[in-house]
Amino acid sequence: MFKINDNYLKLPGSYLFSTIAKKVAAYKEANPDKEVISLGIGDVTQPLAPAVIEALHKAVDEMSVAETFRGYAPDLGYEFLRRAIVDNDYKTRGVDLALDEIFISDGAKSDSGNIVEIFSTDNKIAVTDPVYPVYIDSNAMAGKTGEYLQDKQAWSDVVYMPCTAENNFTPDFPEQTPDIIYICCPNNPTGTTLTKDALQNWVNYALEKKAVIIYDAAYEAYISEEDVPHSIYECDGAKECAIEMRSFSKNAGFTGTRLGFTVIPKALKCGDVELNGLWARRHGTKFNGAPYIIQRAGEAVYSAAGKEQTKAQITYYMNNAKTIREGLNSLGYKTYGGVNAPYIWLKTPDGVSSWDFFDMLLEKANVVGTPGSGFGPSGEGYFRLTAFGSAENTAKAIDRIKNI
Ligand code: MLT
């Protein structure tokens, strides 16, 4: 008789954002007259930039003619896109990467879930807590996290590094030495960041412990402060210990279009084995590439017009962040983030639990947010709002919260 991967049975509930979607759907069904505003999942609302649309149309036309039609994309992604990434995202920040250190994909979510495959089940993983659930769930599916401890809302074999207001959302080095360290900066869900020095300390720590850092930089385009690194490779030695993941979802609105990339420098090795080669093998075997038209759209993000237009989108969302932050602060809420990231992390008032706050906000203000505890045990007592709504809905949501 066949057997299933019973690691899946250990997973508690459904994926966080699926649970929320179900709850909201049930509420809407029971209250069809209510207009619900979602500031929950970090999904963009602004249309794709004109430069991106133009590139898409052009690429679609190319696909209609035999001479310019494209079939399977090259394993690593089209060179035009990898070159645009190397030149614009890295060279401008003093980081030299080779084209074959960049792997184009359909997004950072897939990459961060799939990357676990190239590591042994014996590795001890460490995550900042609260954490983007994909890092933990994908390791749990691969049997790398031990058992789920319901009372602690945590996995037995995962090293949790609490990030709360008490430590200024900067994780301390854990007591137990990890092999794989997940860092997301600017952080989802807290919207906070690490300084360049703090990140350099993590790079030094990883080098010393022979650990690897999986660095999620999906929100780097939102950085507004000087002392926040845009790439982990701005830190000395990071090429020997870090994998970096990026996304076009948040910097250019590709959540429904799907495009991202992972950087694995050749200098990153386990003994004599380059991780770059392992990922290339995996990519070549299991992935047939992001579509040509989407890679052309990604290339357009780096054009002069694309840069200007996507920057305007980011300014738009960051104005929403300001509306949320200032609105909540004026009501006496303690808020974090929202300066270098499109997420505002707030402390729930009077010790109310994250899920109770979720229910209260949905019922009394018809506003959806994300309960902090859904991101890990240290998220309890916190709540996340996203700045990715429309400006009108964001202002309306804050007004409603003011009127509770
Ligand atoms: C979030 O809301 O945390 C993100 O939208 C999830 C994602 O990017 O996959």
Side-chain angles (χ1 to χ4, degrees), residues 33-96:
D33 55 317
K34 305 279 194 220
E35 185 223 4
V36 174
I37 297 176
S38 176
L39 302 182
I41 190 162
D43 196 2
V44 294
T45 51
Q46 291 302 293
L48 292 169
V52 170
I53 293 293
E54 199 181 308
L56 275 170
H57 281 300
K58 188 162 168 262
V60 167
D61 287 344
E62 285 180 53
M63 295 297 269
S64 72
V65 180
E67 287 70 32
T68 48
F69 167 80
R70 314 285 177 122
Y72 294 126
D75 274 4
L76 271 55
Y78 284 100
E79 195 173 312
F80 59 77
L81 180 55
R82 287 182 289 128
R83 191 172 296 284
I85 289 167
V86 162
D87 290 349
N88 292 279
D89 285 330
Y90 293 101
K91 219 166 249 165
T92 51
R93 303 205 175 273
V95 177
D96 275 321

Side-chain angles (χ1 to χ4, degrees), residues 308-324:
E308 196 183 308
Q309 292 159 6
T310 52
K311 196 162 166 228
Q313 290 177 344
I314 287 162
T315 305
Y316 176 92
Y317 291 131
M318 289 312 277
N319 279 336
N320 289 345
K322 189 161 176 248
T323 303
I324 298 172

Side-chain angles (χ1 to χ4, degrees), residues 350-368:
D350 308 321
V352 171
S353 82
S354 300
W355 277 108
D356 284 350
F357 192 77
F358 172 91
D359 290 334
M360 187 280 290
L361 216 57
L362 180 58
E363 278 155 31
K364 298 218 167 122
N366 304 144
V367 171
V368 179

